[in-house]
Amino acid sequence: MPVASLQPVTDPADERLADYVSLTDVALRSRQEPAKGLYIAESSTVLGRALAAGHRPRSVLLSPRWVPDLERLLAGLPADDTVVPVYVAEEPVLEAITGFHVHRGALAAMHRPVLEPVASLLAGARRVAVLEDIVDHTNVGAAFRSAAALGVDAVLVTPRCADPLYRRSVRVSMGTVFQVPWTRIDPWPEGIALLREAGFVTAALALSDDSITLDALVADPPDRLALVLGAEGHGLKPTTVAESDLVVRIPMAGGVDSLNVAAAAAVAFWATRVTGQAGSSRGSV
């Protein structure tokens, strides 16, 4: 198992803690974390799922009462000679470092895994979700949680989509971003051709005069299906809708014409799931 090197910290300006400074600035974190090859895992639950998926920590920052939990998590890993710096600080120091109350107990700066090629994720998959330019990290995390629970084999995110490994996305997903294989599909929407070549029918969820209902899709589902979900507010790009094989709408009542993208994802994933597949285990990223 990796060895935890406990190191007490009392100074919020300690240079060893640079990875954890000002985590509340979304734009800053989104720029820095990928460039530095890291992401932040928040809470012992999320850290445990990241470790179980084979991800490895660069360091951990926590309060004293969470040290036993961390030691139990590390004890469950395969034996190796890795030494993980574990910075231990009292709650006021943690808050001064991060800019918020770390009430979930633990933060870890994790090494980012190398993303797989799109073709590798499509091989053997039957249900794929494409998240186009969804910029809200909460919606991205919620979509991943639904994908994990409802049998989606892989998630593809477009170049402008929010980072699934951003702290809020990971937290909202309850760590399921480590459970569902995902990668970036670039360029987009040109990538629809790649999906088609792999045998997928692409279904754009959008309001359109030529759309079919989700019920109609479910009545005659393709063997390999890619559901394409668009950004908050504007929805999918017109070029994406035009290039897709089908345009699908969720039938609604009460004068409501659309759902939040995370809610729409959950409905579509459940309706198009492969029987007996939902809830099955998968590999990590």
Side-chain angles (χ1 to χ4, degrees):
M1 61 175 254
V3 178
S5 173
L6 301 182
Q7 302 177 30
V9 173
T10 58
D11 182 6
D14 192 317
E15 63 181 15
R16 295 174 297 172
L17 307 177
D19 291 343
Y20 302 99
V21 173
S22 301
L23 294 179
T24 54
D25 187 333
V26 174
L28 180 63
R29 301 311 304 177
S30 296
R31 289 197 301 270
Q32 282 194 351
E33 290 178 12
K36 293 168 67 177
L38 65 91
Y39 67 90
I40 300 295
E42 181 181 358
S43 86
S44 57
T45 298
V46 168
L47 176 55
R49 289 184 175 175
L51 294 173
H55 297 200
R56 288 294 178 263
R58 179 153 69 180
S59 66
V60 180
L61 174 65
L62 42 63
S63 60
R65 64 192 181 95
W66 291 97
V67 170
D69 277 11
L70 175 65
E71 291 176 336
R72 282 193 293 270
L73 289 175
L74 295 180
L77 299 179
D80 62 34
D81 297 326
T82 304
V83 177
V84 180
V86 178
Y87 305 119
V88 183
E90 297 295 338
E91 296 288 348
V93 178
L94 292 178
E95 186 167 352
I97 295 166
T98 64
F100 65 96
H101 178 56
V102 188
H103 62 279
R104 293 173 181 85
L107 297 167
M110 306 293 293
H111 293 286
R112 282 178 173 263
V114 176
L115 294 178
E116 294 185 33
V118 172
S120 296
L121 265 65
L122 296 182
R126 296 180 63 187
R127 294 293 180 266
V128 170
V130 181
L131 306 184
E132 180 188 273
D133 299 355
I134 298 176
V135 298
D136 185 281
H137 293 94
T138 297
N139 284 337
V140 170
F144 265 87
R145 190 173 183 183
S146 294
L150 300 171
V152 173
D153 298 306
V155 176
L156 306 177
V157 297
T158 64
R160 293 183 58 202
C161 186
D163 182 9
L165 292 184
Y166 178 69
R167 182 173 59 90
R168 185 181 297 275
S169 297
V170 173
R171 186 176 73 240
V172 171
S173 81
M174 293 298 293
T176 55
V177 294
F178 312 127
Q179 182 177 336
V180 183
W182 69 273
T183 195
R184 295 271 177 187
I185 183 166
D186 188 10
W188 182 263
E190 293 85 349
I192 290 175
L194 183 60
L195 288 164
R196 191 171 290 126
E197 290 170 6
F200 282 86
V201 171
T202 56
L205 269 71
L207 300 176
S208 174
D209 292 339
D210 62 349
S211 64
I212 65 172
T213 66
L214 183 59
D215 296 325
L217 177 64
V218 171
D220 186 22
D223 182 61
R224 309 186 84 185
L225 175 66
L227 293 166
V228 188
L229 297 123
E232 305 84 352
H234 295 96
L236 293 171
K237 299 175 182 176
T239 51
T240 299
V241 175
E243 290 294 325
S244 296
D245 299 307
L246 301 170
V247 183
V248 178
R249 69 181 185 278
I250 299 173
M252 300 193 192
V256 178
D257 64 357
S258 64
L259 297 173
N260 166 274
V261 64
V267 171
F269 297 164
W270 183 87
T272 59
R273 71 197 186 284
V274 177
T275 304
Q277 182 174 341
S280 63
S281 60
R282 294 175 195 80
S284 60
V285 175

